Amino acid sequence: MPESALRGVIAAIATPIDQSGEPDCARATKLARHLVDNGCDGLNVLGTTGEATSFSFAQRQKVMNAYRQAGLPLGRMMVGTGAAAVADAVALTRLAAELGFAGALVLPPFYYKGVPDDGLAAYIETIVTATAAHPIPIYLYHYPALSGLPWHPKLIRRLVDAFGGRMAGLKDSSGDMTFAREAAAISPSFKVFPSTEAVLLDARAGAFAGCISATANLNADLCQRAWGLGDAAALATAVTIRKLFDGRPLVPGVKALLAHIHGDPALARVMPPLAGFSPADTAAVTGGYDQARAKRVA
C-alpha cells in the first residue's frame, strides 16, 4: 500500500449547519475549497471540530459524498470514520476508501471505558479486515479527554506490528508532547500530528508530520508560512490567534470567528449538545483576531 501523502498544515475543518440542523454541504465545500486554496496542505473532515459524533451515520455519509461531488482534492484529506458501533466505523471507512480520501481517522469506540487492549485491537482488526479490498491508511485519533480511551504507545506498537502500513499515523489531541514524541518514535512510517500549530517549526525539523489544528480554519496562511518557510514571526501570530480560545469553548468559538472572517453569520451555528459562542466571547475573540491581523500587516 502506498504511503499516505498527508503532511504539513491540516485544518480540522468545521462543518456548517443549516437552519434545520442538517449539514450545510454547500457552505461546507465552499469553506473546504477556501482552506485548501489559502494555506492548508490538507483537511481533517468530520473530526471533533467538524462535530462528527453529533451527526447521524447518514449525515456523515452526506458530507463525505458532498466533498467528492464538489471535486475537492480528497487525496489531501483524512475523514473521521470512528464510531461506537464497529459496523458503523467499517461502513464509513469503506466509504472513505471508495470516495478516494487519503486516510481514515479512527476514534476508539468511546462508550465503554476501561476496556482492555484486546478489545481495542479487535475493533481495529475488524476495520482493517473489512476494508482490505480498498486498504485506506488508518490514522488513530488520540483524544482521551473526550473519548475516555487512550491509544497508548504499547497498544500503538501492537497495532503497527500487526497491521503494518495500514497504521499510517496518529492525531494527538492530548496536548502531551512527551506522548506525541514517543508515538512518533514507534516507526519512521508512523506519522504523528499534534493538534496545535505551535509545533510547526519542530515538525518542519522532522519531529512530526505536521499539525491537525482547529484554529487552522482561521490562520492557515500564517501556519503555512511557518511550515513552508520557517517563518517564526508568522507562527507567533498564528499562536496568538489560537490562544484567543484559552478558557473558552473551542468549537463554538472557531465557528463564531469563521462567521466573522467570512461575513456569514450562518457559519456560527453548532449542533447540540454544543451551544453557540456567547456575545461577550465573540466580541473578545473577534477583536483579538482583528488586532492580531492588524499587527501582522503593520
Side-chain angles (χ1 to χ4, degrees):
M1 186 183 70
E3 184 176 337
S4 172
L6 291 170
R7 58 185 288 107
V9 178
I10 299 178
I13 186 171
T15 307
I17 312 298
D18 69 19
Q19 289 180 308
S20 67
E22 286 291 316
D24 187 332
C25 291
R27 282 187 169 91
T29 54
K30 181 180 179 182
L31 176 60
R33 178 66 66 186
H34 171 81
L35 290 172
V36 298
D37 287 347
N38 288 278
C40 285
D41 295 296
L43 299 177
N44 166 202
V45 182
L46 291 172
T48 300
T49 309
E51 298 173 86
T53 56
S54 297
F55 292 122
S56 69
F57 178 84
Q59 288 170 324
R60 291 169 75 172
Q61 287 180 308
K62 178 180 177 181
V63 173
M64 293 165 69
N65 282 311
Y67 270 65
R68 170 66 177 271
Q69 291 160 6
L72 288 161
L74 302 190
R76 293 166 58 184
M77 302 180 191
M78 66 171 69
V79 60
T81 64
V86 69
D88 287 348
V90 165
L92 289 168
T93 304
R94 278 180 176 152
L95 178 61
E98 291 164 3
L99 292 175
F101 281 94
L105 182 65
V106 180
L107 274 171
F110 46 80
Y111 180 76
Y112 293 105
K113 306 302 188 285
V115 298
D117 286 359
D118 286 351
L120 294 175
Y123 172 79
I124 292 297
E125 182 178 14
T126 300
I127 296 170
V128 168
T129 301
T131 58
H134 296 93
I136 186 171
I138 291 173
Y139 293 81
L140 302 173
Y141 190 5
H142 180 70
Y143 200 172
L146 290 188
S147 72
L149 293 170
W151 296 113
H152 60 78
K154 181 180 177 182
L155 177 56
I156 295 169
R157 288 189 188 93
R158 174 177 172 177
L159 296 173
V160 170
D161 288 346
F163 307 118
R166 289 297 304 274
M167 294 293 105
L170 174 141
K171 178 187 177 185
D172 176 27
S173 293
S174 70
D176 182 347
M177 288 300 108
T178 300
F179 166 84
R181 292 179 185 279
E182 187 174 356
I186 287 172
S187 168
S189 62
F190 190 77
K191 307 302 184 184
V192 171
F193 297 85
S195 63
T196 173
E197 54 269 45
V199 305
L200 279 171
L201 295 183
D202 286 344
R204 189 171 189 268
F208 305 112
C211 74
I212 302 174
S213 171
T215 42
N217 282 277
L218 316 167
N219 60 12
D221 58 322
L222 300 169
C223 292
Q224 187 55 235
R225 289 190 63 82
W227 170 255
L229 302 173
D231 187 334
L235 182 60
T237 303
V239 171
T240 294
I241 292 169
R242 181 178 183 85
K243 287 182 176 179
L244 293 170
F245 300 97
D246 287 354
R248 297 184 169 105
L250 181 59
V251 176
V254 166
K255 297 186 93 170
L257 190 45
L258 278 171
H260 172 71
I261 292 167
H262 294 275
D264 183 0
L267 292 174
R269 294 190 191 109
V270 294
M271 288 288 286
L274 298 183
F277 216 41
S278 73
D281 281 341
T282 298
V285 167
T286 56
Y289 174 85
D290 290 344
Q291 184 177 30
R293 288 289 188 176
K295 285 183 178 179
R296 175 76 184 167
V297 171

